[in-house]
């Protein structure tokens, strides 16, 4: 009888460097950039960068299913869309590890179960605080809401500026990128989708 082997997720399988190894890597990059990591102004920079990375990429330690686990079923039959808009989004481009800054608009149409609105904002953070592309980030937020809450529809729109375009490369500081993912009624019903887009564009 063949024994079943459980495949680890990429996060479970990764070899996490020590804090000291991470700090040494920062020192190497400082040297490569052309400065002296041992001069007074830079001596504590590796420690600060490692601390910042723990905050920037805290999403790897968060479980989106746990965040959405507590739901409410007694909602007096409410079945219209729930929208949280202008959620501040701070992520990092996986190609250059520079900031992606913008706003997320998240909506769903409940089917018996609703979740606290702060949980929607936290769900954005779970995936934003990882190395990302905006397209993947948008899909992850929407797909998780659909999978966990099983609502009648989900809509996610992200409007963000990419510092890989604004501070390097083409240097187009005025540009932003908009991505969207529509599921369920938001995809099937043009009126529902139009209502959502109208509501998120109102001040």
């Amino acid at each position: 009888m063949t024994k079943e082997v459980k495949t680890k997720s990429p996060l479970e399988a990764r070899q996490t460097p020590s804090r000291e190894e991470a700090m040494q890597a920062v020192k190497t990059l400082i040297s490569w950039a052309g400065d002296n990591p041992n001069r007074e102004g830079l001596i504590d920079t590796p420690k600060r960068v490692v601390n910042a990375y723990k905050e920037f990429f805290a999403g790897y330690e968060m479980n989106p299913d746990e965040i959405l686990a507590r739901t409410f079923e007694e909602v007096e039959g409410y079945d219209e869309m729930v929208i949280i808009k202008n959620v501040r989004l701070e992520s990092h481009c996986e190609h250059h590890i520079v900031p992606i800054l913008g706003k997320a608009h998240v909506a769903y149409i409940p089917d018996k179960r609703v979740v606290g609105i702060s949980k929607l904002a936290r769900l954005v953070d779970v995936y934003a605080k990882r190395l990302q592309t905006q397209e993947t980030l948008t899909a992850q937020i929407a797909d998780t809401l659909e999978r966990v809450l099983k609502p009648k529809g989900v809509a996610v729109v992200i409007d963000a500026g990419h510092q890989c375009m604004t501070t390097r490369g083409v240097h187009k500081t005025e540009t932003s990128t908009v991505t969207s993912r529509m599921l369920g009624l938001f995809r099937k019903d043009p009126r529902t989708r139009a209502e959502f887009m109208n509501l998120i564009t109102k001040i």
Side-chain angles (χ1 to χ4, degrees), residues 135-156:
E135 297 87 346
T136 300
L137 173 60
T138 306
Q140 287 174 332
I141 296 168
D143 293 350
T144 300
L145 272 174
E146 182 182 53
R147 175 174 54 79
V148 178
L149 295 186
K150 296 180 171 52
K152 296 176 181 177
V154 174
V156 177

Side-chain angles (χ1 to χ4, degrees), residues 75-81 109-112 152 185:
V75 291
E76 301 296 333
Y78 184 84
D79 60 359
E80 298 294 331
M81 68 178 72
I109 301 174
D111 184 9
K112 299 179 182 178
K152 296 176 181 177
L185 288 179

Side-chain angles (χ1 to χ4, degrees), residues 24 104 116 160 171 198:
Q24 183 57 49
H171 289 276
N198 181 56

